[in-house]
Amino acid sequence: MRTLLPPPPPSSPDYSPTLALLASRILYPNPLPSSTTNLPLYILNSAAFPDARETSYDDLVPYVLARLPGEDDLLAGQQYEILFFAKASADDAGKTGKDYKKRRPGWQWCVQTYQLLSRVLRKKLSRLWIVGAESWVRMLVEGVMVMSGGKGRKKVVFARGMRELEGWGVKVRELCVPCGVWVVEKRRRKTRGSIVEDEKKGKGRRAFGVREPLPRSDDGDGEEGKVRLPRVLREATSFLLMDECVKTGGIFRVNAKAVMVEVLQELYSHGQQFIVWQERDTVLCFPYWRDGTGDVGTDELKEKDGFDIHAAAGLIKLWYNELREPIFPQSCYQALEKFYGNADLQLEPQQLVEMLRPDSEWTILSATARGILRMHLLPLLSQVTHFEEWNHMTVYALAVCFAPALLRGPDIEEDFKMMGIVRRLLEAMIRDWTEHLAPSLGGDHESFEAELRLPEVVADREDPIEDGDDSVSPSEAQMTGITLMDNDASGSDSQQEDGSEGDDPPSLPQRHPPPLPPRPRTFSETEDGRPSLPPRLRSSTIAAIPISSPTTSPPNDVDNCVKRKPAPTVHPLPRYSMIVGTSSQQLPATLGHIPFYNTVEQPFEEEEEEQGLDVDSDLPEYEAVPESSNRTAIPRKPVPKSLKGHV
């Protein structure tokens, strides 16, 4: 049986930096202690497990266990918790078969490794959280616990996902969760709500689609200060502009995985405290402030799995696309086409400065849109173009990528027509930003870097949640109310019943739909007040139908209408043999008034004459229709002798 030896010291020639790097990705301490017991919490990430066919797990285990608390600390009484994400790989989610089984260690190896653990290491384990475990993991854990006497069974807690983990009292917002775990959780809960719970559920939005996209900083006295960039733009832009990231080819042009962008949107919307960004060897994770501790360091997260550069670029474009009021709203389309619709027009820097100035009175953009362009979009795209040699993103390419995100009107065809104008404007702004626009608007490179730094005020490190429900903006509500009052109420309804005007708009009175207009008079009336029928309806049958006399009640809209006549009785159609074999005098009384017509075509008339068939004149013929009808009776064709016996 193999023995468990500690790893060699870093100064030893037998020390393996590769195995140490793998161990740091497999097991690492969470920046904050456990929210249930306030004990040190270690996260075990199965997504970082290497292929068993390429890496020796016997050599890797000592490096992994060396990251747990030492025996001296454990003998002193310190305990710890482990959070194991058993299904954390986005690539292995849902995979089964021989190839997947070869990548994981075998059952025998897992049992032997548990037996090699020291007694104090197993005893001081306070809780083992297992999230997203498959059947084989559950069976393995149950088997190991039975072999150890069953004493550790009460320490194991299984959870299907993040929402169930929160049900046990674990604050998911304080966990540094690997990227692969969030992706698997998002795919598992694709149609069952968000992946995490919000701290203020149902109280408003945060970061995306808010009424004030640029929040105001807190000056320390509880009063609002100047506007600042939201957290989502500050962190994503800081990672994108790092030296190794900004040189990545196809920034803003290569689409990120949609599931990663959706996960990032939910994490920032719900206030996740630790979000790791990683692109090759470049890793970024901002620290978190905790009362009594100060800034929580994230040095241990430098080698963790995070979101890549294309996910950051896609998140920035999504933020602009989710603006409640776009940069170029529909209200400015007419001015755009009038002043900038000419493709041959040369845009001067002075025109662009006048459009972006904060105190400009002759601009088609709102104050919020101008602030977003000055503080973030134009400085960001201008710096990306400085590395065009590596990322291959020209000014034209960046303008093409961002123009659709700045337009979002109700008519797609109209947006498509305006997209060319917006692209030319954005292209001119990016090209002239460094030399002409930034000096005139006070937006140099140093001020942009200051906006991207971590705020000193703790309250400014997170985006605030809007109070109230998810409603429309005040300007939209005002326009909607004006439209409703103009359409549904008269001018006198704007005042209260007592004639005074209150602070709140008065409620509209309940209105009923107007009555339907009276039926138009089609027929003229006779001297006795009864309606006169047209000539085509004047028949002995219809004229005999009685019509009720006018009422003596006061006339109204209903009485002035022409009353409907009762529907005639529907008689059953007679059989053909009864009509042919019986004269009209012998027909039943109920059928005496029904006219019959011989409308059946005779296509074989010439053929019958050629055969010399005899005609029997004793058969009765059809009777003529009443004189009241305009139709003429058609004489019946005689029946041949060969058919006499069948009639």
Side-chain angles (χ1 to χ4, degrees):
M1 186 176 182
R2 61 189 176 90
T3 58
L4 184 62
L5 299 176
S11 59
S12 174
D14 297 333
Y15 182 80
S16 175
T18 304
L19 295 179
L21 178 61
L22 288 176
S24 65
R25 294 181 176 179
I26 293 175
L27 184 66
Y28 58 91
N30 193 61
L32 296 176
S34 175
S35 57
T36 57
T37 59
N38 203 25
L39 294 175
L41 179 63
Y42 292 84
I43 296 178
L44 183 60
N45 181 21
S46 65
F49 285 173
D51 195 340
R53 298 168 295 185
E54 300 176 358
T55 304
S56 175
Y57 274 78
D58 294 340
D59 300 336
L60 179 63
V61 168
Y63 290 88
V64 175
L65 297 181
R67 302 183 62 81
L68 293 174
E71 291 192 3
D72 296 339
D73 297 335
L74 297 177
L75 292 175
Q78 181 181 357
Q79 295 181 336
Y80 66 98
E81 294 184 4
I82 292 180
L83 177 59
F84 177 38
F85 292 108
K87 193 175 182 180
S89 176
D91 297 331
D92 295 339
K95 286 188 177 181
T96 56
K98 297 181 180 180
D99 183 70
Y100 178 70
K101 293 180 180 179
K102 290 180 180 180
R103 294 188 57 183
R104 68 190 186 195
W107 290 36
Q108 183 179 4
W109 180 89
C110 296
V111 174
Q112 292 179 0
T113 302
Y114 179 79
Q115 294 176 350
L116 292 176
L117 297 179
S118 62
R119 182 177 179 272
V120 64
L121 198 62
R122 287 182 289 182
K123 187 176 181 180
K124 293 301 181 179
L125 177 62
S126 175
R127 185 76 66 186
L128 175 59
W129 308 91
I130 301 179
V131 182
E134 295 182 350
S135 58
W136 75 274
V137 177
R138 292 175 175 266
M139 295 174 60
L140 178 62
V141 174
E142 294 290 346
V144 171
M145 293 304 169
V146 170
M147 295 176 59
S148 62
K151 297 181 180 180
R153 180 63 186 85
K154 297 181 180 179
K155 300 181 179 180
V156 182
V157 178
F158 290 96
R160 289 176 295 180
M162 293 298 184
R163 301 290 287 271
E164 188 172 342
L165 189 63
E166 289 181 341
W168 288 95
V170 179
K171 295 182 179 180
V172 179
R173 297 177 61 251
E174 297 182 356
L175 299 178
C176 182
V177 183
C179 171
V181 176
W182 292 122
V183 173
V184 172
E185 185 71 12
K186 180 63 178 179
R187 290 176 177 174
R188 191 180 70 87
R189 302 191 61 86
K190 188 66 176 178
T191 58
R192 290 179 288 177
S194 60
I195 54 181
V196 291
E197 284 283 357
D198 197 352
E199 59 179 350
K200 294 184 178 181
K201 183 178 180 181
K203 296 300 182 181
R205 295 186 178 187
R206 176 197 275 133
F208 292 88
V210 295
R211 289 190 292 268
E212 295 183 3
L214 296 178
R216 293 188 174 274
S217 59
D218 190 358
D219 57 359
D221 299 334
E223 299 181 358
E224 295 182 348
K226 64 176 184 178
V227 294
R228 60 175 177 84
L229 292 179
R231 177 196 174 195
V232 54
L233 291 185
R234 185 181 70 246
E235 295 187 0
T237 306
S238 299
F239 176 66
L240 188 142
L241 292 180
M242 297 181 74
D243 294 339
E244 297 297 330
C245 297
V246 73
K247 296 180 180 180
T248 305
I251 298 180
F252 297 116
R253 179 177 56 83
V254 177
N255 294 328
K257 292 183 179 180
V259 63
M260 287 192 175
V261 179
E262 293 175 2
V263 166
L264 284 170
Q265 182 183 9
E266 290 195 21
L267 294 182
Y268 278 105
S269 298
H270 293 83
Q272 190 68 20
Q273 295 173 0
F274 300 101
I275 299 179
V276 182
W277 300 92
Q278 180 188 19
E279 181 66 26
R280 296 184 294 274
D281 297 333
T282 303
V283 181
L284 176 65
C285 183
F286 284 88
Y288 174 74
W289 173 272
R290 187 171 185 176
D291 295 337
T293 307
D295 285 339
V296 179
T298 56
D299 296 337
E300 291 289 340
L301 307 179
K302 291 183 178 180
E303 304 297 340
K304 305 305 172 291
D305 296 332
F307 298 92
D308 58 4
I309 182 62
H310 297 297
L315 186 67
I316 294 175
K317 290 195 297 184
L318 179 64
W319 187 87
Y320 279 93
N321 195 33
E322 291 288 332
L323 286 175
R324 179 165 295 192
E325 183 179 358
I327 301 298
F328 294 92
Q330 188 188 14
S331 57
C332 70
Y333 285 3
Q334 186 176 1
L336 280 175
E337 188 174 3
K338 179 179 180 181
F339 297 107
Y340 309 103
N342 187 6
D344 300 331
L345 179 65
Q346 186 68 24
L347 296 174
E348 299 295 337
Q350 187 60 31
Q351 292 178 300
L352 303 178
V353 170
E354 184 64 26
M355 182 186 297
L356 298 175
R357 277 196 309 109
D359 55 348
S360 176
E361 298 180 358
W362 306 97
T363 179
I364 60 177
L365 301 178
S366 62
T368 303
R370 284 174 283 167
I372 295 174
L373 291 175
R374 293 193 312 269
M375 294 178 59
H376 181 260
L377 185 60
L378 296 181
L380 168 63
L381 300 184
S382 177
Q383 291 197 25
V384 172
T385 57
H386 295 166
F387 300 88
E388 179 183 346
E389 182 180 355
W390 294 274
N391 55 38
H392 308 290
M393 293 300 295
T394 62
V395 175
Y396 175 81
L398 292 173
V400 169
C401 293
F402 266 91
L406 307 183
L407 295 169
R408 195 179 66 255
D411 190 356
I412 300 179
E413 296 183 359
E414 192 175 7
D415 292 348
F416 184 77
K417 295 178 181 178
M418 295 294 107
M419 196 176 301
I421 303 176
V422 173
R423 178 193 57 77
R424 292 196 300 270
L425 280 174
L426 189 58
E427 185 179 357
M429 292 178 182
I430 298 172
R431 185 183 299 108
D432 298 337
W433 173 256
T434 304
E435 297 182 2
H436 301 91
L437 302 185
S440 302
L441 299 173
D444 53 357
H445 180 68
E446 289 74 14
S447 61
F448 182 56
E449 288 186 348
E451 292 289 345
L452 298 180
R453 295 193 191 102
L454 185 67
E456 297 181 359
V457 181
V458 178
D460 294 344
R461 298 184 181 183
E462 182 57 84
D463 298 330
I465 298 180
E466 291 184 343
D467 296 332
D469 56 351
D470 187 13
S471 57
V472 296
S473 59
S475 60
E476 294 176 354
Q478 181 182 6
M479 295 301 299
T480 305
I482 293 175
T483 304
L484 291 176
M485 292 184 63
D486 289 343
N487 292 341
D488 297 340
S490 59
S492 59
D493 294 335
S494 60
Q495 298 181 356
Q496 299 179 356
E497 294 181 359
D498 56 355
S500 62
E501 296 183 359
D503 296 336
D504 299 331
S507 59
L508 298 178
Q510 184 177 4
R511 292 180 176 272
H512 300 282
L516 296 176
R519 186 184 298 276
R521 296 180 177 274
T522 308
F523 311 138
S524 60
E525 295 184 356
T526 57
E527 297 179 357
D528 56 355
R530 297 174 60 182
S532 175
L533 300 179
R536 61 185 181 86
L537 297 178
R538 295 175 184 174
S539 60
S540 57
T541 304
I542 300 179
I545 300 176
I547 301 178
S548 59
S549 60
T551 60
T552 58
S553 58
N556 51 33
D557 293 340
V558 179
D559 296 333
N560 294 336
C561 300
V562 178
K563 298 182 179 297
R564 293 176 177 266
K565 298 181 292 296
T569 305
V570 179
H571 301 282
L573 296 177
R575 298 181 62 181
Y576 178 76
S577 59
M578 182 180 6
I579 299 175
V580 174
T582 309
S583 60
S584 62
Q585 291 78 9
Q586 299 175 356
L587 288 176
T590 57
L591 301 176
H593 64 281
I594 299 179
F596 303 101
Y597 306 95
N598 184 8
T599 59
V600 181
E601 299 180 359
Q602 302 294 334
F604 304 102
E605 181 177 357
E606 298 180 358
E607 184 177 351
E608 293 176 358
E609 294 179 357
E610 293 178 358
Q611 295 179 359
L613 298 177
D614 297 333
V615 179
D616 191 353
S617 59
D618 297 336
L619 294 177
E621 299 181 354
Y622 286 133
E623 297 293 337
V625 297
E627 296 179 358
S628 60
S629 177
N630 296 331
R631 300 184 181 181
T632 57
I634 302 176
R636 176 183 172 276
K637 192 70 176 181
V639 180
K641 288 182 178 182
S642 59
L643 301 178
K644 273 187 176 183
H646 301 283
V647 178

